[in-house]
Amino acid sequence: MTAHVPILHRSFSTQLATVLIAIFMLSSLLSFGSAYFVMRNSLDAGFQDQIEQMMDGYRAIDDKGDLAARLSADAASIDADTVILYFESGAGAVISNVRSMPTVDDFRLMPDAEIHGDDLADSYIALGQRVVAGHLTIAVSREPIAEMGEIFLAILVMGFLPTLAIASLVGWLVAGRVQVSINAIRSVLANLTRGDFSARVPDVPTGTEDLRQIAHAVNDMADAQQASIAALKQVSTDIAHDLKTPIQRMSVLLDRLEERTSLSGEQLEILDAARDETERMAKTFQALLEIAQIEGGSVRERFEQLDLRCIVATFVDIYGPAAEETGHRLSFRSSDAGGFFIRGDGHLLGQVVANLIENAMRHVPAGGVIDIALARTPKGVLLSVSDNGPGIPEGERTNVLRRLYRLERSRKAPGNGLGLSLVAAICDLHDAALDLADNAPGLSVRLTFPTASLSKGAA
C-alpha cells in the first residue's frame, strides 16, 4: 500500500492549501505595494508643492539686495538635512547651506552623492529656476518617504509574515487531516481489491462532510460485496460438501460393478474412464472444500514457527524420483545455509510446494528445468519456483488464480484448475505476496513472506 500512497506535498488537499496561501500572499503583497506607491507619489507631490511655494516666495522679491539677505538668513537657519538652498548670482557669488550642488533646471530626484554637504538625507527632490539676476535651486529631503518604507517593511515583517506562517501551518494541518482520511479510504479500497472484504473505513473526523459521505459509501459497498462473496462461497462450499458423499458412493459402486460383473474389454475401458472422472470430481470438490476452510481463517490457530527450508527440501526429495522419470531436472538452492523461519501451517505450506512442483512438471516438456530457490529480501523470505516451460501470458496471470480457470492449451492436460487458486488462498492466509513473473522463457512463481511473519527468536 505504501507505494500507492502519495507524499503529503503531492496530494490535492495540500496543493489546494498551497494555492490559497499563495493567492493570499500575492494579494497581500499587491495591496501593500499599491498602498506604498500611492503614498510615496502623494508625498512627492506634496514636496513639489512645497518647493514651488518657496520658489514663488523668492521670485516675489525684486530687489537683489533684499533677495540676498533673505537667502542668507534662510540658508543659515535651515538644516540641509531637510531643505537645501543653493543660489548662484550672475556675478558668481554663491549663497547656500551646502558646499556645492549640480545645476538643476526642472524637477528631478537627486541622491546625496551628487550634493556636497554635511548631514544630508539619502535623496532629495529638487527644482532650479532663474530668480532675479541668478539661478536658485531648492531641494526638499525625501526622508519621510524612506521612513514610510521602513514602517511598511516593519508592518510586513511583524504582521504579514506571522499571519503567513499561521495560515501555512493551519493549511498544512487541515491538509494533513484530510490526507489521513483519504489514505484510510485508499487503504480500504486497496484491501478490497486484494480480496480483504472485511476492510472498512474508520470514522472520518468531523469537518470533512464530503469525505464522511464517501467513506460511508465505501463501507456500504464493502458490506454488500462481502455479503455477496460470503453467499457465493457458502453456496460453493455447500455444493462441494453435498456432492462429495454421492461422488464417493459412485466410486464405490463402480468398484462393485467391476468386481461382481463380467465386462468386456471395451466396457472395462469405459469403466476405468468413469472411475478416473469420478476421482477427478472428488479431488475437485475436496480442493474447493479446502479452499473454503482456508479462507475461513480458522487454520491460523495451528500456526507455529517453521523452517521453510526443511519443508521445501522434503518435497524436493519426494518429487525428485518422479521428476527423473518424466525427464525433468529438479533443483533446490538457497542464498545461505541458515534457517528460513516463518510462522505458518506446515501441511498447507507443503501443499504449496507440492502444487507448484506438480504444476511445473505437468506443463514443462520433458528435459525442462524446475528450479526452486530460497532467499532473504528486505521484505522477508522469498520462495521461488521457476521453470523454462511455455509460461503464462501476462494477460492471463491474474485469471489463472481464479477457481476452475484453465488456459486453453491446458484443457486436455490433467488437473482441475484449482492448483494455483489453492496456492493463492494459502498465501493470503500467511500474508505472503504471490507474484507470477516471466522467467524468459517459462514461469517464475514467487512467494514473499513479509518481515512481520519472520520468527523473533529463530534457532
Side-chain angles (χ1 to χ4, degrees), residues 397-427:
R397 290 173 190 166
T398 302
N399 295 332
V400 296
L401 299 178
R402 290 159 41 193
R403 299 180 187 182
L404 304 175
Y405 185 88
R406 305 187 71 188
L407 294 175
E408 189 64 32
R409 65 168 184 262
S410 304
R411 293 190 181 279
K412 295 182 180 180
N416 51 26
L418 290 172
L420 290 178
S421 298
L422 182 60
V423 170
I426 296 174
C427 287

PDB file of all heavy atoms in Angstrom, residues 397-427:
ATOM      1  N   ARG A 397      -2.194 -14.015 -16.190  1.00  0.00           N
ATOM      2  CA  ARG A 397      -1.603 -14.364 -14.893  1.00  0.00           C
ATOM      3  C   ARG A 397      -2.537 -14.095 -13.728  1.00  0.00           C
ATOM      4  O   ARG A 397      -2.426 -14.726 -12.682  1.00  0.00           O
ATOM      5  CB  ARG A 397      -0.288 -13.598 -14.713  1.00  0.00           C
ATOM      6  CG  ARG A 397       0.795 -14.111 -15.644  1.00  0.00           C
ATOM      7  CD  ARG A 397       2.043 -13.276 -15.602  1.00  0.00           C
ATOM      8  NE  ARG A 397       2.965 -13.668 -16.677  1.00  0.00           N
ATOM      9  CZ  ARG A 397       4.009 -12.965 -17.058  1.00  0.00           C
ATOM     10  NH1 ARG A 397       4.284 -11.809 -16.443  1.00  0.00           N
ATOM     11  NH2 ARG A 397       4.775 -13.376 -18.055  1.00  0.00           N
ATOM     12  N   THR A 398      -3.436 -13.157 -13.880  1.00  0.00           N
ATOM     13  CA  THR A 398      -4.433 -12.929 -12.836  1.00  0.00           C
ATOM     14  C   THR A 398      -5.555 -13.946 -12.933  1.00  0.00           C
ATOM     15  O   THR A 398      -6.065 -14.436 -11.919  1.00  0.00           O
ATOM     16  CB  THR A 398      -5.004 -11.510 -12.942  1.00  0.00           C
ATOM     17  OG1 THR A 398      -3.936 -10.562 -12.844  1.00  0.00           O
ATOM     18  CG2 THR A 398      -6.000 -11.239 -11.831  1.00  0.00           C
ATOM     19  N   ASN A 399      -5.920 -14.307 -14.168  1.00  0.00           N
ATOM     20  CA  ASN A 399      -7.039 -15.244 -14.359  1.00  0.00           C
ATOM     21  C   ASN A 399      -6.737 -16.628 -13.821  1.00  0.00           C
ATOM     22  O   ASN A 399      -7.633 -17.317 -13.310  1.00  0.00           O
ATOM     23  CB  ASN A 399      -7.380 -15.330 -15.853  1.00  0.00           C
ATOM     24  CG  ASN A 399      -7.903 -14.015 -16.400  1.00  0.00           C
ATOM     25  OD1 ASN A 399      -8.488 -13.226 -15.667  1.00  0.00           O
ATOM     26  ND2 ASN A 399      -7.696 -13.774 -17.682  1.00  0.00           N
ATOM     27  N   VAL A 400      -5.464 -17.084 -13.956  1.00  0.00           N
ATOM     28  CA  VAL A 400      -5.154 -18.458 -13.538  1.00  0.00           C
ATOM     29  C   VAL A 400      -5.260 -18.641 -12.028  1.00  0.00           C
ATOM     30  O   VAL A 400      -5.242 -19.784 -11.545  1.00  0.00           O
ATOM     31  CB  VAL A 400      -3.737 -18.864 -14.015  1.00  0.00           C
ATOM     32  CG1 VAL A 400      -3.664 -18.891 -15.525  1.00  0.00           C
ATOM     33  CG2 VAL A 400      -2.675 -17.939 -13.432  1.00  0.00           C
ATOM     34  N   LEU A 401      -5.371 -17.557 -11.289  1.00  0.00           N
ATOM     35  CA  LEU A 401      -5.538 -17.666  -9.836  1.00  0.00           C
ATOM     36  C   LEU A 401      -7.002 -17.846  -9.451  1.00  0.00           C
ATOM     37  O   LEU A 401      -7.307 -18.075  -8.278  1.00  0.00           O
ATOM     38  CB  LEU A 401      -4.968 -16.422  -9.144  1.00  0.00           C
ATOM     39  CG  LEU A 401      -3.468 -16.160  -9.364  1.00  0.00           C
ATOM     40  CD1 LEU A 401      -3.049 -14.875  -8.653  1.00  0.00           C
ATOM     41  CD2 LEU A 401      -2.627 -17.336  -8.885  1.00  0.00           C
ATOM     42  N   ARG A 402      -7.895 -17.705 -10.446  1.00  0.00           N
ATOM     43  CA  ARG A 402      -9.315 -17.916 -10.169  1.00  0.00           C
ATOM     44  C   ARG A 402      -9.626 -19.400 -10.096  1.00  0.00           C
ATOM     45  O   ARG A 402      -8.960 -20.226 -10.717  1.00  0.00           O
ATOM     46  CB  ARG A 402     -10.159 -17.253 -11.260  1.00  0.00           C
ATOM     47  CG  ARG A 402     -10.132 -15.734 -11.206  1.00  0.00           C
ATOM     48  CD  ARG A 402     -10.523 -15.103 -12.530  1.00  0.00           C
ATOM     49  NE  ARG A 402     -11.643 -15.802 -13.157  1.00  0.00           N
ATOM     50  CZ  ARG A 402     -12.008 -15.609 -14.422  1.00  0.00           C
ATOM     51  NH1 ARG A 402     -11.331 -14.751 -15.180  1.00  0.00           N
ATOM     52  NH2 ARG A 402     -13.029 -16.245 -14.929  1.00  0.00           N
ATOM     53  N   ARG A 403     -10.676 -19.733  -9.379  1.00  0.00           N
ATOM     54  CA  ARG A 403     -11.060 -21.135  -9.232  1.00  0.00           C
ATOM     55  C   ARG A 403     -11.533 -21.709 -10.569  1.00  0.00           C
ATOM     56  O   ARG A 403     -12.281 -21.060 -11.301  1.00  0.00           O
ATOM     57  CB  ARG A 403     -12.181 -21.279  -8.209  1.00  0.00           C
ATOM     58  CG  ARG A 403     -11.801 -20.795  -6.820  1.00  0.00           C
ATOM     59  CD  ARG A 403     -12.950 -20.970  -5.859  1.00  0.00           C
ATOM     60  NE  ARG A 403     -12.656 -20.364  -4.574  1.00  0.00           N
ATOM     61  CZ  ARG A 403     -13.470 -20.390  -3.532  1.00  0.00           C
ATOM     62  NH1 ARG A 403     -14.632 -20.998  -3.628  1.00  0.00           N
ATOM     63  NH2 ARG A 403     -13.132 -19.811  -2.399  1.00  0.00           N
ATOM     64  N   LEU A 404     -11.077 -22.905 -10.856  1.00  0.00           N
ATOM     65  CA  LEU A 404     -11.516 -23.700 -12.004  1.00  0.00           C
ATOM     66  C   LEU A 404     -11.145 -23.076 -13.346  1.00  0.00           C
ATOM     67  O   LEU A 404     -11.613 -23.539 -14.386  1.00  0.00           O
ATOM     68  CB  LEU A 404     -13.045 -23.931 -11.957  1.00  0.00           C
ATOM     69  CG  LEU A 404     -13.576 -24.588 -10.673  1.00  0.00           C
ATOM     70  CD1 LEU A 404     -15.091 -24.640 -10.704  1.00  0.00           C
ATOM     71  CD2 LEU A 404     -12.998 -25.981 -10.502  1.00  0.00           C
ATOM     72  N   TYR A 405     -10.286 -22.035 -13.327  1.00  0.00           N
ATOM     73  CA  TYR A 405      -9.876 -21.420 -14.592  1.00  0.00           C
ATOM     74  C   TYR A 405      -8.672 -22.164 -15.151  1.00  0.00           C
ATOM     75  O   TYR A 405      -7.706 -22.461 -14.431  1.00  0.00           O
ATOM     76  CB  TYR A 405      -9.512 -19.946 -14.381  1.00  0.00           C
ATOM     77  CG  TYR A 405      -9.187 -19.225 -15.680  1.00  0.00           C
ATOM     78  CD1 TYR A 405     -10.187 -18.633 -16.421  1.00  0.00           C
ATOM     79  CD2 TYR A 405      -7.872 -19.170 -16.155  1.00  0.00           C
ATOM     80  CE1 TYR A 405      -9.904 -17.973 -17.614  1.00  0.00           C
ATOM     81  CE2 TYR A 405      -7.579 -18.516 -17.342  1.00  0.00           C
ATOM     82  CZ  TYR A 405      -8.599 -17.920 -18.067  1.00  0.00           C
ATOM     83  OH  TYR A 405      -8.314 -17.279 -19.247  1.00  0.00           O
ATOM     84  N   ARG A 406      -8.735 -22.459 -16.447  1.00  0.00           N
ATOM     85  CA  ARG A 406      -7.627 -23.165 -17.093  1.00  0.00           C
ATOM     86  C   ARG A 406      -7.340 -22.495 -18.429  1.00  0.00           C
ATOM     87  O   ARG A 406      -8.259 -22.044 -19.130  1.00  0.00           O
ATOM     88  CB  ARG A 406      -7.974 -24.647 -17.323  1.00  0.00           C
ATOM     89  CG  ARG A 406      -8.392 -25.376 -16.057  1.00  0.00           C
ATOM     90  CD  ARG A 406      -8.555 -26.858 -16.303  1.00  0.00           C
ATOM     91  NE  ARG A 406      -7.270 -27.512 -16.512  1.00  0.00           N
ATOM     92  CZ  ARG A 406      -7.151 -28.776 -16.907  1.00  0.00           C
ATOM     93  NH1 ARG A 406      -8.217 -29.496 -17.163  1.00  0.00           N
ATOM     94  NH2 ARG A 406      -5.951 -29.292 -17.071  1.00  0.00           N
ATOM     95  N   LEU A 407      -6.052 -22.439 -18.769  1.00  0.00           N
ATOM     96  CA  LEU A 407      -5.665 -21.912 -20.070  1.00  0.00           C
ATOM     97  C   LEU A 407      -6.163 -22.856 -21.166  1.00  0.00           C
ATOM     98  O   LEU A 407      -6.341 -24.061 -20.950  1.00  0.00           O
ATOM     99  CB  LEU A 407      -4.143 -21.769 -20.162  1.00  0.00           C
ATOM    100  CG  LEU A 407      -3.497 -20.731 -19.222  1.00  0.00           C
ATOM    101  CD1 LEU A 407      -1.979 -20.797 -19.359  1.00  0.00           C
ATOM    102  CD2 LEU A 407      -3.996 -19.328 -19.536  1.00  0.00           C
ATOM    103  N   GLU A 408      -6.372 -22.289 -22.336  1.00  0.00           N
ATOM    104  CA  GLU A 408      -6.911 -23.082 -23.444  1.00  0.00           C
ATOM    105  C   GLU A 408      -6.019 -24.278 -23.754  1.00  0.00           C
ATOM    106  O   GLU A 408      -6.505 -25.381 -24.020  1.00  0.00           O
ATOM    107  CB  GLU A 408      -7.051 -22.186 -24.685  1.00  0.00           C
ATOM    108  CG  GLU A 408      -7.796 -22.839 -25.829  1.00  0.00           C
ATOM    109  CD  GLU A 408      -9.252 -23.157 -25.479  1.00  0.00           C
ATOM    110  OE1 GLU A 408      -9.851 -22.401 -24.682  1.00  0.00           O
ATOM    111  OE2 GLU A 408      -9.756 -24.174 -25.977  1.00  0.00           O
ATOM    112  N   ARG A 409      -4.685 -24.055 -23.696  1.00  0.00           N
ATOM    113  CA  ARG A 409      -3.774 -25.139 -24.053  1.00  0.00           C
ATOM    114  C   ARG A 409      -3.706 -26.220 -22.980  1.00  0.00           C
ATOM    115  O   ARG A 409      -3.143 -27.292 -23.199  1.00  0.00           O
ATOM    116  CB  ARG A 409      -2.366 -24.585 -24.299  1.00  0.00           C
ATOM    117  CG  ARG A 409      -1.701 -23.986 -23.073  1.00  0.00           C
ATOM    118  CD  ARG A 409      -0.224 -23.736 -23.310  1.00  0.00           C
ATOM    119  NE  ARG A 409       0.444 -23.240 -22.126  1.00  0.00           N
ATOM    120  CZ  ARG A 409       0.708 -21.954 -21.893  1.00  0.00           C
ATOM    121  NH1 ARG A 409       0.359 -21.053 -22.783  1.00  0.00           N
ATOM    122  NH2 ARG A 409       1.322 -21.586 -20.776  1.00  0.00           N
ATOM    123  N   SER A 410      -4.250 -25.902 -21.779  1.00  0.00           N
ATOM    124  CA  SER A 410      -4.146 -26.851 -20.659  1.00  0.00           C
ATOM    125  C   SER A 410      -5.418 -27.652 -20.452  1.00  0.00           C
ATOM    126  O   SER A 410      -5.477 -28.471 -19.531  1.00  0.00           O
ATOM    127  CB  SER A 410      -3.811 -26.091 -19.355  1.00  0.00           C
ATOM    128  OG  SER A 410      -2.633 -25.343 -19.515  1.00  0.00           O
ATOM    129  N   ARG A 411      -6.441 -27.443 -21.282  1.00  0.00           N
ATOM    130  CA  ARG A 411      -7.714 -28.090 -21.015  1.00  0.00           C
ATOM    131  C   ARG A 411      -7.652 -29.607 -21.195  1.00  0.00           C
ATOM    132  O   ARG A 411      -8.427 -30.346 -20.593  1.00  0.00           O
ATOM    133  CB  ARG A 411      -8.799 -27.497 -21.927  1.00  0.00           C
ATOM    134  CG  ARG A 411      -9.084 -26.050 -21.591  1.00  0.00           C
ATOM    135  CD  ARG A 411     -10.309 -25.522 -22.303  1.00  0.00           C
ATOM    136  NE  ARG A 411     -10.558 -24.128 -21.978  1.00  0.00           N
ATOM    137  CZ  ARG A 411     -11.160 -23.705 -20.889  1.00  0.00           C
ATOM    138  NH1 ARG A 411     -11.593 -24.597 -20.017  1.00  0.00           N
ATOM    139  NH2 ARG A 411     -11.339 -22.436 -20.661  1.00  0.00           N
ATOM    140  N   LYS A 412      -6.739 -30.064 -22.053  1.00  0.00           N
ATOM    141  CA  LYS A 412      -6.629 -31.504 -22.273  1.00  0.00           C
ATOM    142  C   LYS A 412      -5.673 -32.168 -21.292  1.00  0.00           C
ATOM    143  O   LYS A 412      -5.578 -33.392 -21.255  1.00  0.00           O
ATOM    144  CB  LYS A 412      -6.161 -31.757 -23.708  1.00  0.00           C
ATOM    145  CG  LYS A 412      -7.174 -31.305 -24.755  1.00  0.00           C
ATOM    146  CD  LYS A 412      -6.685 -31.618 -26.159  1.00  0.00           C
ATOM    147  CE  LYS A 412      -7.694 -31.154 -27.200  1.00  0.00           C
ATOM    148  NZ  LYS A 412      -7.227 -31.446 -28.589  1.00  0.00           N
ATOM    149  N   ALA A 413      -4.938 -31.355 -20.516  1.00  0.00           N
ATOM    150  CA  ALA A 413      -3.993 -31.911 -19.551  1.00  0.00           C
ATOM    151  C   ALA A 413      -4.715 -32.232 -18.242  1.00  0.00           C
ATOM    152  O   ALA A 413      -5.762 -31.664 -17.939  1.00  0.00           O
ATOM    153  CB  ALA A 413      -2.870 -30.915 -19.289  1.00  0.00           C
ATOM    154  N   PRO A 414      -4.166 -33.159 -17.461  1.00  0.00           N
ATOM    155  CA  PRO A 414      -4.797 -33.488 -16.167  1.00  0.00           C
ATOM    156  C   PRO A 414      -4.837 -32.252 -15.268  1.00  0.00           C
ATOM    157  O   PRO A 414      -3.994 -31.368 -15.357  1.00  0.00           O
ATOM    158  CB  PRO A 414      -3.870 -34.565 -15.582  1.00  0.00           C
ATOM    159  CG  PRO A 414      -3.116 -35.107 -16.754  1.00  0.00           C
ATOM    160  CD  PRO A 414      -2.966 -33.982 -17.720  1.00  0.00           C
ATOM    161  N   GLY A 415      -5.821 -32.213 -14.392  1.00  0.00           N
ATOM    162  CA  GLY A 415      -5.932 -31.084 -13.462  1.00  0.00           C
ATOM    163  C   GLY A 415      -7.346 -30.572 -13.406  1.00  0.00           C
ATOM    164  O   GLY A 415      -8.200 -30.922 -14.233  1.00  0.00           O
ATOM    165  N   ASN A 416      -7.597 -29.735 -12.396  1.00  0.00           N
ATOM    166  CA  ASN A 416      -8.953 -29.208 -12.219  1.00  0.00           C
ATOM    167  C   ASN A 416      -8.992 -27.688 -12.179  1.00  0.00           C
ATOM    168  O   ASN A 416     -10.036 -27.100 -11.897  1.00  0.00           O
ATOM    169  CB  ASN A 416      -9.569 -29.762 -10.929  1.00  0.00           C
ATOM    170  CG  ASN A 416      -8.659 -29.580  -9.724  1.00  0.00           C
ATOM    171  OD1 ASN A 416      -7.838 -28.672  -9.698  1.00  0.00           O
ATOM    172  ND2 ASN A 416      -8.806 -30.458  -8.734  1.00  0.00           N
ATOM    173  N   GLY A 417      -7.875 -27.016 -12.407  1.00  0.00           N
ATOM    174  CA  GLY A 417      -7.865 -25.559 -12.397  1.00  0.00           C
ATOM    175  C   GLY A 417      -7.924 -24.959 -11.013  1.00  0.00           C
ATOM    176  O   GLY A 417      -8.282 -23.781 -10.858  1.00  0.00           O
ATOM    177  N   LEU A 418      -7.595 -25.749  -9.994  1.00  0.00           N
ATOM    178  CA  LEU A 418      -7.657 -25.254  -8.617  1.00  0.00           C
ATOM    179  C   LEU A 418      -6.288 -25.193  -7.952  1.00  0.00           C
ATOM    180  O   LEU A 418      -6.186 -24.740  -6.816  1.00  0.00           O
ATOM    181  CB  LEU A 418      -8.588 -26.139  -7.779  1.00  0.00           C
ATOM    182  CG  LEU A 418     -10.079 -26.034  -8.111  1.00  0.00           C
ATOM    183  CD1 LEU A 418     -10.858 -27.099  -7.366  1.00  0.00           C
ATOM    184  CD2 LEU A 418     -10.608 -24.652  -7.782  1.00  0.00           C
ATOM    185  N   GLY A 419      -5.252 -25.668  -8.643  1.00  0.00           N
ATOM    186  CA  GLY A 419      -3.923 -25.714  -8.019  1.00  0.00           C
ATOM    187  C   GLY A 419      -3.423 -24.344  -7.621  1.00  0.00           C
ATOM    188  O   GLY A 419      -3.065 -24.104  -6.455  1.00  0.00           O
ATOM    189  N   LEU A 420      -3.392 -23.408  -8.554  1.00  0.00           N
ATOM    190  CA  LEU A 420      -2.916 -22.065  -8.238  1.00  0.00           C
ATOM    191  C   LEU A 420      -3.912 -21.300  -7.370  1.00  0.00           C
ATOM    192  O   LEU A 420      -3.515 -20.418  -6.603  1.00  0.00           O
ATOM    193  CB  LEU A 420      -2.630 -21.290  -9.532  1.00  0.00           C
ATOM    194  CG  LEU A 420      -1.405 -21.775 -10.321  1.00  0.00           C
ATOM    195  CD1 LEU A 420      -1.238 -20.983 -11.602  1.00  0.00           C
ATOM    196  CD2 LEU A 420      -0.136 -21.649  -9.467  1.00  0.00           C
ATOM    197  N   SER A 421      -5.209 -21.622  -7.481  1.00  0.00           N
ATOM    198  CA  SER A 421      -6.198 -21.000  -6.590  1.00  0.00           C
ATOM    199  C   SER A 421      -5.919 -21.387  -5.145  1.00  0.00           C
ATOM    200  O   SER A 421      -6.013 -20.559  -4.225  1.00  0.00           O
ATOM    201  CB  SER A 421      -7.615 -21.429  -6.990  1.00  0.00           C
ATOM    202  OG  SER A 421      -7.921 -21.015  -8.300  1.00  0.00           O
ATOM    203  N   LEU A 422      -5.579 -22.655  -4.941  1.00  0.00           N
ATOM    204  CA  LEU A 422      -5.259 -23.111  -3.590  1.00  0.00           C
ATOM    205  C   LEU A 422      -3.972 -22.456  -3.096  1.00  0.00           C
ATOM    206  O   LEU A 422      -3.883 -22.043  -1.927  1.00  0.00           O
ATOM    207  CB  LEU A 422      -5.111 -24.633  -3.587  1.00  0.00           C
ATOM    208  CG  LEU A 422      -4.832 -25.293  -2.239  1.00  0.00           C
ATOM    209  CD1 LEU A 422      -5.958 -25.007  -1.256  1.00  0.00           C
ATOM    210  CD2 LEU A 422      -4.639 -26.803  -2.408  1.00  0.00           C
ATOM    211  N   VAL A 423      -2.984 -22.324  -3.982  1.00  0.00           N
ATOM    212  CA  VAL A 423      -1.738 -21.645  -3.614  1.00  0.00           C
ATOM    213  C   VAL A 423      -2.029 -20.206  -3.203  1.00  0.00           C
ATOM    214  O   VAL A 423      -1.507 -19.706  -2.199  1.00  0.00           O
ATOM    215  CB  VAL A 423      -0.733 -21.692  -4.788  1.00  0.00           C
ATOM    216  CG1 VAL A 423       0.454 -20.776  -4.501  1.00  0.00           C
ATOM    217  CG2 VAL A 423      -0.255 -23.117  -5.011  1.00  0.00           C
ATOM    218  N   ALA A 424      -2.883 -19.511  -3.983  1.00  0.00           N
ATOM    219  CA  ALA A 424      -3.215 -18.118  -3.672  1.00  0.00           C
ATOM    220  C   ALA A 424      -3.919 -18.004  -2.332  1.00  0.00           C
ATOM    221  O   ALA A 424      -3.652 -17.088  -1.536  1.00  0.00           O
ATOM    222  CB  ALA A 424      -4.076 -17.528  -4.784  1.00  0.00           C
ATOM    223  N   ALA A 425      -4.825 -18.937  -2.042  1.00  0.00           N
ATOM    224  CA  ALA A 425      -5.553 -18.904  -0.764  1.00  0.00           C
ATOM    225  C   ALA A 425      -4.599 -19.125   0.405  1.00  0.00           C
ATOM    226  O   ALA A 425      -4.691 -18.448   1.449  1.00  0.00           O
ATOM    227  CB  ALA A 425      -6.650 -19.961  -0.769  1.00  0.00           C
ATOM    228  N   ILE A 426      -3.665 -20.060   0.255  1.00  0.00           N
ATOM    229  CA  ILE A 426      -2.701 -20.317   1.328  1.00  0.00           C
ATOM    230  C   ILE A 426      -1.775 -19.119   1.510  1.00  0.00           C
ATOM    231  O   ILE A 426      -1.406 -18.761   2.637  1.00  0.00           O
ATOM    232  CB  ILE A 426      -1.899 -21.601   1.028  1.00  0.00           C
ATOM    233  CG1 ILE A 426      -2.843 -22.808   1.010  1.00  0.00           C
ATOM    234  CG2 ILE A 426      -0.790 -21.802   2.049  1.00  0.00           C
ATOM    235  CD1 ILE A 426      -2.178 -24.114   0.577  1.00  0.00           C
ATOM    236  N   CYS A 427      -1.394 -18.474   0.414  1.00  0.00           N
ATOM    237  CA  CYS A 427      -0.553 -17.268   0.515  1.00  0.00           C
ATOM    238  C   CYS A 427      -1.273 -16.166   1.280  1.00  0.00           C
ATOM    239  O   CYS A 427      -0.693 -15.504   2.138  1.00  0.00           O
ATOM    240  CB  CYS A 427      -0.165 -16.781  -0.885  1.00  0.00           C
ATOM    241  SG  CYS A 427       1.078 -17.817  -1.696  1.00  0.00           S
TER     242      CYS A 427
END
